[in-house]
Amino acid sequence: MINIVIFGAPGAGKGTQACKIADRYHFTHISTGEVIRAEIAAKTPFGQTVEQAIARGELAPDSVVIEIVKNYMLSRGGHSRGNIFDGFPRTIPQAEAFDGILAGLGFKIDLMLDLVVPEEELVQRILARGRESGRADDADESVIRNRIAVYHTRTAAVADYYKAHGKYVAIDGSRSIETNFEAICAEIDKIIAAK
Ligand code: AP5
Ligand code: MG
């Protein structure tokens, strides 16, 4: 099994690239943002608790997100030929808990791919998507900028965590979707060849 974290600021292209990786390699894709949006849409107790924070561009609590990923690994993820984690881990406590969950199942993270994109490009991409996405956190530029600020204060340090563990690769995410994807596939192919 291969486990990949696809990382980057809001709008960097995590979801776009994760879908393409899942198709090419027959891996399973989990986006914690998608899981949270589905909980909000279904008006579950958890969804109702986090709805306002998500609409402001804040993070959901670590404990709940860790539980979501743990349950995923105990069910679908644990049987997949590969997993792509999109939007998780997003804090250092999540990264540490994730290592524990994976180790308990005999797995590990093989690679973090960090899509690096200039901030103004991020904002423009999200504003463009927001015209049709219906995402509560896409519509308002101040919320988009808050998501990017939260990324810098809470999430960016997770890249250093994976650097320290020798798992980190930066990808210039400012290029076309296809060019970025080819760069990503080259990194994944190296991991597969080394297995
Ligand atoms: P999440 O759903 O993870 O959203 P995000 O990180 O803010 O990122 P996006 O989904 O907006 O962007 P993306 O990087 O996936 O880019 P995409 O491919 O869509 O999280 C949402 C919220 O949920 C968080 O704010 C938080 O509240 C909560 N949450 C989620 N996970 C959590 C966790 N672990 N802990 C706590 N809270 C959590 O691309 C963006 C747009 O650009 C698209 O329109 C796309 O078509 C376009 N595009 C993509 N690539 C390119 C390219 N190369 N060139 C031009 N356009 C491109
Ligand atoms: Mg996404």
Side-chain angles (χ1 to χ4, degrees):
M1 176 191 283
I2 290 177
N3 290 301
I4 297 170
V5 172
I6 187 126
F7 191 74
K14 301 183 293 296
T16 303
Q17 296 296 334
C19 289
K20 292 174 72 67
I21 298 166
D23 278 355
R24 176 171 295 187
Y25 294 95
H26 305 290
F27 290 172
T28 311
H29 169 203
I30 176 169
S31 155
T32 45
E34 295 288 344
V35 173
I36 292 168
R37 283 188 287 280
E39 295 270 342
I40 292 171
K43 298 194 186 304
T44 64
F46 164 64
Q48 289 179 319
T49 314
V50 296
E51 182 168 12
Q52 292 196 349
I54 303 300
R56 288 194 302 270
E58 307 293 336
L59 298 184
D62 284 339
S63 58
V64 191
V65 184
I66 289 165
E67 199 61 24
I68 288 170
V69 173
K70 185 176 179 185
N71 290 335
Y72 166 79
M73 283 310 298
L74 290 171
S75 54
R76 234 155 64 101
H79 307 288
S80 174
R81 60 192 285 172
N83 292 295
I84 308 150
F85 298 92
D86 160 7
F88 180 92
R90 222 173 177 105
T91 62
I92 295 292
Q94 289 181 21
E96 290 171 347
F98 193 28
D99 277 349
I101 292 166
L102 291 174
L105 296 168
F107 305 132
K108 63 178 175 53
I109 289 296
D110 296 286
L111 179 65
M112 167 188 265
L113 293 162
D114 181 10
L115 292 165
V116 181
V117 177
E119 180 154 333
E120 282 315 304
E121 168 82 14
L122 298 171
V123 174
Q124 293 314 316
R125 285 184 190 178
I126 299 175
L127 281 172
R129 181 184 59 190
R131 289 182 207 117
E132 340 184 314
S133 73
R135 268 177 63 165
D137 59 351
D138 272 2
D140 182 330
E141 184 168 334
S142 68
V143 171
I144 295 169
R145 291 199 185 272
N146 189 41
R147 284 160 62 193
I148 295 171
V150 169
Y151 167 81
H152 287 298
T153 53
R154 308 264 327 259
T155 303
V158 176
D160 297 327
Y161 180 90
Y162 286 93
K163 271 180 208 165
H165 290 78
K167 306 287 172 65
Y168 175 91
V169 173
I171 301 284
D172 173 2
S174 68
R175 302 163 300 177
S176 73
I177 289 172
E178 282 310 319
T179 305
N180 294 343
F181 183 55
E182 291 313 316
I184 284 171
C185 290
E187 296 301 331
I188 297 175
D189 290 344
K190 281 187 219 165
I191 297 289
I192 292 173
K195 281 256 169 188

